[in-house]
Amino acid sequence: MKIDGQHTRSIWVEDDGWSIGIFDQTLLPHRCVRLRLTCVDDAARAIRTMQVRGAPLIGAAAAYGLCLALKEDASDESLERARAKLLATRPTAVNLKWALDEMTAAVRNRPREQRIAAAYRRAAEICDEDVAINKAIGHHGLKLLENIAARKKAGERVNVLTHCNAGWLATVDWGTATAPIYLAHDRGLPVHVFVDETRPRNQGALTAWELGQHGVPHTYIADNTGGHLMQRGMVDICIVGTDRVTAQGDVCNKIGTYLKALAAGDNGVPFYVAAPSPSIDFAILDAFAIPIEERGAEEIATVSGLGEDGRIAAVRVAPEGSPAANYAFDVTPARLVKGLITERGVIEASAAALARAFPERAQAAQSAAAG
Ligand code: MRU
């Protein structure tokens, strides 16, 4: 996607051919700072502190983290140590485990001297696959937006509501929920996006920044606004991303997603989830078995932003001493999801539809469960 008109990805191998570049997303949208990761600890820290974030990008960063570990020491012990360290960074997005499994399979049975090259190759493929998946999601989701546009009077805009950041900053490129929006905009569809702020970490500000960079009309709204807009007929479709879809089609995503789905259901607004296959966990049947990340109370008690002095700082909003709870994700039951926009098409959020669309993944999970 574009920054100041220049096409760029969210993660890349630097010109030295081995260190890894990312944007420090904790400083966006106020400052656009590139960071260089040179060891597995850098990669683990970047994921844990959310310098990189968003399920697919977490997977890509972990893949390159494993490359950096193997570059220092290509032994089995180093591989296992790095895998455990990276896996422990964040609990909810299944893309992290998926990417580490893919990487481990690509290097484990190779002699040590081949492991580094094999790891960098597979990590690059994971990134390219992510881009291809998101483009496919974009094309399938575009049809939904075109159908809405076809029912409108000429020039009337198609209003999309999105939550969190499932944009190119959360992936390697394009984003999942935003891919159909970017394609629609590029094709001249009058698309407009209501962007949920997404407290406490305000990932909506990242989405607004991205959309602005690409020239997509959008409006930044407080998290509690969506229900009001939907009641007034101001939202045509909700599209959100996901950190993990269960084998039954239940959707785990950023906290607050469930409330948007409830409001959408009550108002007849179609609620879609952009779901790339690495975010589908065929091993999990019960959505309440998904580990929900609980983050520090200070994220709730304070708000971070750009001060008048040009510095990024946190200010306290909660009274000193009030306990705070910070659940980072919630579960939207499949019954509230109109469809999953996958790289293989828009499918029902159900066990049968998921198994039909991804038979190889569903069977592999069944075989693993059978032992
Ligand atoms: O805590 P974050 O910022 O990593 O959470 C991100 C989200 O919840 C996204 O909606 C999800 O990862 C999908 S990204 C394509």
Side-chain angles (χ1 to χ4, degrees):
M1 289 287 102
K2 293 180 196 157
I3 294 189
D4 297 332
Q6 293 276 12
H7 182 265
T8 177
R9 284 185 170 189
S10 305
I11 191 164
W12 59 91
V13 178
E14 294 283 7
D15 289 343
D16 58 20
W18 66 272
S19 65
I20 304 304
I22 58 164
F23 294 103
D24 182 349
Q25 297 196 25
T26 62
L27 302 179
L28 284 170
H30 310 299
R31 291 205 211 314
C32 188
V33 174
R34 289 166 164 85
L35 287 182
R36 184 167 163 256
L37 312 177
T38 60
C39 61
V40 63
D41 285 341
D42 283 355
R45 191 180 320 107
I47 298 170
R48 200 175 44 250
T49 63
M50 296 177 65
Q51 287 172 322
V52 286
R53 40 143 304 281
L57 186 60
I58 289 171
Y64 276 122
L66 218 60
C67 296
L68 294 172
L70 291 173
K71 185 173 178 297
E72 274 177 21
D73 174 357
S75 67
D76 285 350
E77 299 71 39
S78 160
L79 177 64
E80 280 316 311
R81 245 191 340 266
R83 187 191 150 83
K85 181 175 285 179
L86 291 160
L87 200 54
T89 50
R90 293 192 72 191
T92 303
V94 73
N95 306 59
L96 178 62
K97 179 174 182 302
W98 174 84
L100 290 170
D101 286 350
E102 291 289 314
M103 292 296 292
T104 307
V107 299
R108 194 175 28 215
N109 296 325
R110 288 180 184 273
R112 277 191 194 196
E113 61 279 10
Q114 291 179 8
R115 283 184 171 178
I116 302 171
Y120 274 95
R121 231 177 5 253
R122 185 68 192 114
E125 283 168 8
I126 286 173
C127 290
D128 291 345
E129 284 163 18
D130 179 63
V131 176
I133 285 172
N134 297 338
K135 275 190 191 164
I137 285 175
H139 284 286
H140 296 304
L142 173 65
K143 292 194 196 108
L144 300 173
L145 300 179
E146 285 173 340
N147 288 342
I148 294 169
R151 294 196 300 268
K152 295 211 167 227
K153 295 196 195 98
E156 253 180 25
R157 59 192 200 176
V158 174
N159 286 299
V160 183
L161 183 138
T162 193
H163 191 67
C164 195
N165 173 263
W168 71 261
L169 285 166
T171 63
V172 176
D173 204 350
W174 284 91
T176 57
T178 54
I181 295 166
Y182 287 129
L183 277 181
H185 175 78
D186 290 351
R187 289 178 184 209
L189 223 71
V191 67
H192 164 267
V193 187
F194 286 111
V195 180
D196 284 350
E197 165 186 46
T198 318
R199 275 280 287 151
R201 290 195 63 109
N202 301 334
Q203 286 94 332
L206 302 177
T207 305
W209 181 74
E210 274 190 27
L211 293 171
Q213 291 289 323
H214 201 90
V216 180
H218 61 278
T219 306
Y220 191 57
I221 53 172
D223 283 327
N224 297 324
T225 311
H228 169 76
L229 297 178
M230 290 190 230
Q231 275 181 332
R232 302 291 164 111
M234 292 167 74
V235 178
D236 296 303
I237 184 171
C238 297
I239 311 180
V240 301
T242 180
D243 291 82
R244 199 185 296 223
V245 175
T246 70
Q248 310 282 354
D250 299 317
V251 171
C252 185
N253 191 47
K254 180 54 57 192
I255 194 80
T257 303
Y258 173 44
L259 288 175
K260 295 302 171 301
L262 283 172
D266 194 43
N267 291 285
V269 175
F271 188 89
Y272 283 92
V273 177
S277 59
S279 303
I280 303 169
D281 187 348
F282 283 93
I284 285 213
L285 302 178
D286 175 8
F288 293 114
I290 298 174
I292 300 292
E293 180 176 12
E294 289 183 47
R295 300 184 58 83
E298 73 289 349
E299 286 184 359
I300 300 285
T302 62
V303 175
S304 194
L306 191 67
E308 280 178 8
D309 61 358
R311 288 185 203 196
I312 296 172
V315 294
R316 170 162 286 277
V317 284
E320 201 72 58
S322 284
N326 189 2
Y327 298 97
F329 299 93
D330 63 21
V331 170
T332 298
R335 66 172 186 280
L336 296 175
V337 177
K338 172 89 174 161
L340 302 172
I341 312 172
T342 76
E343 68 268 31
R344 295 193 185 167
V346 181
I347 63 169
E348 195 182 84
S350 72
L354 279 162
R356 256 196 318 275
F358 299 98
E360 70 291 357
R361 295 278 313 280
Q363 276 153 21
Q366 266 173 15
S367 311

